[in-house]
Amino acid sequence: MIRIQDVSKDFKGKLVLDDISMDIRDGELTVIIGPSGCGKTTTLKMINRLTPVSKGKIFIDDVDIEDIDKVQLRRRMGYVIQQGGLFPHMTIRQNIEIIEELEGKPKEEIMENTVKLMKMVDMDPDEYLDRYPTELSGGQQQRIGVIRAMANDPEIILFDEPFSALDPLTRIALQDELVKLQSQVGKTMIFVTHDMDEAIKIADKICIMKDGHILQYDIPEEILRNPADDYVANFVGVNRIWDSPEYIKVEDFMIRSPITCSGELNAKRCVTRMKNHHIDTLLVTDTEDKLLGMVGRKALFKSRNPLSRADDIMSSVSYTAHPQDSIVDVLKMIDEAEVNNVPVVDDDGKLVGLLTNSNLVSTLSKQFLLENQEVTEEQEDRKTPAENEISEESEVSLS
Ligand SMILES: Nc1ncnc2c1ncn2[C@@H]1O[C@H](COP(=O)(O)OP(=O)(O)O)[C@@H](O)[C@H]1O
Ligand SMILES: [Mg+2]
């Protein structure tokens, strides 16, 4: 684990990092993101002692990095920078192998390792190893930059905006490769970027910095769902969560108080309740809110006996969702099962909400409405909470 503890940094009296603390767990890919000048590069440089801290301490596995020999420390960390940082006068092979050579690793092992690394990033060793960096495209150079940082199998790899000079397609391809590599090698990675799309795509955890402070340090899902303040919310972007629909949970958009009835309610009263609430389905629950079944308009019509009980005419519920399911799961289920209403049931089998086709549609459409600003904030504010959740086509509605 890397522990940054109460670290401050000033350059000639100018405070650029103000008492930051964070723990980075082994095997995690942590992204540090923030506007230019907020202290990202300085943070990386302090971790491998390219620049000293002014105050506070940094530990690796509980050892103060000041107590580790600088050269030893840096060999335990790969470093990838924006322009690849490859040595222009060395071939690709020499670039990759230089640290291993310095470490005196047997030649054969080194060569074997180089071929393995080239294959990891889908580059043909025979074709590229004898070329010079300028004979490679920007994307290829960055691939080499990444595998060079991994060549001597360091515990930690630091990345300082490694993909920011690349064209968007190459960049996306390299992000995919990095995620794949990370899952294969499981190294501790700290990745600096100022691109939120990139952060959300690759990060296990995201640290958002501004003016030498950490504003929020959490898993991407939490940052998207619960930004710490307006700055983070703006930085993340209002509609960002829609780019990651797997983070939108059923509990975020379900109707929270669906209309229910007990099993003994008779058909006549079921009809009255449905009429009063402008709905055509009642959810039948027991005294502990456990979901027993559903009574729909058709079942009532078929029963014809006004005194028959809800639990006699109800149908069983074959599809339910869990509050933590994602909107993606639910859409799939609705699609496959061709159901209109999906009750939401918690771990104890208690009914906690309801999804209807129309509230799904209105949830999904919010994305487009917000993006096109068709609904102004004022208009949104004027809506009552009920209006936000009930729509006329709603087959099942709430009180
Ligand atoms: N060697 C230095 N001397 C003086 N100021 C520096 C030095 N390195 C960085 N800074 C200042 O520290 C702040 C943070 O820089 P940096 O960590 O490079 O930001 P980032 O990587 O987030 O863009 C900036 O205001 C920058 O000008
Ligand atoms: Mg920087």
Side-chain angles (χ1 to χ4, degrees):
M1 184 170 80
I2 304 172
R3 165 163 291 167
I4 299 175
Q5 191 176 301
D6 306 320
V7 164
S8 296
K9 173 76 183 176
D10 65 82
F11 288 108
K12 301 193 186 87
K14 183 182 165 236
L15 195 62
V16 298
L17 285 172
D18 186 7
D19 196 25
I20 64 165
S21 296
M22 67 192 286
D23 285 352
I24 293 161
R25 277 194 284 174
D26 290 345
E28 280 191 346
L29 198 166
T30 298
V31 170
I32 301 180
I33 185 167
S36 180
C38 70
K40 305 180 294 293
T41 297
T42 306
T43 305
L44 285 193
K45 284 185 173 169
M46 290 186 317
I47 293 172
N48 79 350
R49 288 183 62 195
L50 277 173
T51 190
V53 303
S54 306
K55 239 179 66 194
K57 284 193 179 303
I58 298 176
F59 300 91
I60 294 177
D61 297 337
D62 297 322
V63 181
D64 187 340
I65 58 168
E66 297 290 329
D67 297 334
I68 305 172
D69 174 70
K70 261 190 202 176
V71 174
Q72 288 304 320
L73 181 76
R74 287 183 201 148
R75 293 230 172 125
R76 290 168 66 184
M77 296 182 196
Y79 205 161
V80 187
I81 58 174
Q82 189 172 344
Q83 305 289 357
L86 300 180
F87 302 115
H89 56 286
M90 289 187 188
T91 63
I92 298 305
R93 176 188 294 284
Q94 289 166 331
N95 264 288
I96 296 172
E97 297 179 349
I98 180 168
I99 306 277
E100 295 164 281
E101 298 257 347
L102 286 170
E103 286 179 343
K105 205 163 141 184
K107 189 77 195 156
E108 238 168 60
E109 253 178 62
I110 296 182
M111 287 170 68
E112 218 172 276
N113 189 41
T114 305
V115 169
K116 188 185 85 190
L117 291 167
M118 289 292 279
K119 291 195 171 148
M120 277 168 103
V121 289
D122 277 329
M123 285 179 73
D124 180 2
D126 294 334
E127 190 176 344
Y128 294 107
L129 282 177
D130 296 323
R131 292 200 196 178
Y132 286 88
T134 52
E135 297 169 318
L136 267 54
S137 71
Q140 289 170 333
Q141 288 184 38
Q142 279 312 60
R143 286 187 173 86
I144 301 298
V146 171
I147 59 173
R148 182 181 64 170
M150 296 172 53
N152 68 324
D153 202 24
E155 299 150 51
I156 298 163
I157 306 182
L158 309 174
F159 297 86
D160 196 353
E161 310 212 22
F163 305 152
S164 55
L166 302 174
D167 66 89
L169 283 181
T170 309
R171 187 172 185 153
I172 287 169
L174 279 180
Q175 290 162 354
D176 290 338
E177 266 169 35
L178 184 71
V179 170
K180 201 177 88 196
L181 279 180
Q182 164 73 349
S183 70
Q184 287 168 2
V185 297
K187 299 215 177 284
T188 310
M189 297 184 176
I190 307 180
F191 189 106
V192 163
T193 182
H194 57 256
D195 176 354
M196 199 63 190
D197 291 321
E198 185 162 82
I200 287 169
K201 181 163 173 189
I202 65 174
D204 292 314
K205 283 181 95 176
I206 297 177
C207 173
I208 300 187
M209 290 182 66
K210 184 184 173 237
D211 299 338
H213 293 275
I214 293 175
L215 300 182
Q216 191 166 9
Y217 176 43
D218 216 323
I219 55 174
E221 179 179 341
E222 267 311 296
I223 291 191
L224 288 171
R225 289 160 58 90
N226 299 310
D229 59 20
D230 287 350
Y231 183 85
V232 175
N234 272 324
F235 197 73
V236 169
V238 186
N239 290 307
R240 179 79 56 174
I241 190 143
W242 288 103
D243 297 335
S244 305
E246 65 276 17
Y247 293 149
I248 303 173
K249 302 289 185 218
V250 162
E251 62 178 7
D252 297 331
F253 60 91
M254 68 186 184
I255 293 167
R256 285 179 182 275
S257 329
I259 309 300
T260 59
C261 71
S262 69
E264 67 231 22
L265 200 73
N266 68 38
K268 191 176 160 219
R269 297 187 59 187
C270 285
V271 173
T272 311
R273 181 164 300 185
M274 281 156 68
K275 206 174 134 214
N276 287 344
H277 292 283
H278 308 285
I279 57 176
D280 72 356
T281 310
L282 284 174
L283 298 169
V284 186
T285 52
D286 68 9
T287 49
E288 283 165 345
D289 288 334
K290 291 228 165 80
L291 181 63
L292 304 174
M294 282 204 228
V295 173
R297 191 184 33 175
K298 276 185 207 149
L300 285 166
F301 184 70
K302 265 204 311 216
S303 107
R304 294 190 176 257
N305 174 3
L307 294 179
S308 53
R309 292 162 51 113
D311 51 9
D312 284 333
I313 53 178
M314 70 186 182
S315 51
S316 62
V317 179
S318 30
Y319 293 93
T320 60
H322 188 274
Q324 292 299 317
D325 287 348
S326 77
I327 196 167
V328 181
D329 303 328
V330 169
L331 287 172
K332 231 186 263 168
M333 176 164 73
I334 286 187
D335 216 33
E336 281 164 13
E338 293 180 33
V339 288
N340 289 321
N341 305 311
V342 181
V344 184
V345 169
D346 70 9
D347 290 332
D348 303 323
K350 281 193 180 165
L351 178 75
V352 291
L354 178 72
L355 300 171
T356 68
N357 254 336
S358 60
N359 95 295
L360 269 170
V361 169
S362 70
T363 303
L364 287 168
S365 67
K366 270 185 196 154
Q367 169 191 20
F368 306 107
L369 289 178
L370 277 172
E371 268 172 6
N372 301 330
Q373 297 299 306
E374 281 174 19
V375 177
T376 66
E377 268 175 34
E378 269 176 54
Q379 283 168 328
E380 273 287 320
D381 287 347
R382 274 203 298 275
K383 275 195 185 171
T384 63
E387 264 181 74
N388 280 327
E389 283 178 298
I390 301 177
S391 73
E392 279 179 353
E393 328 80 293
S394 179
E395 287 194 73
V396 178
S397 170
L398 78 168
S399 52

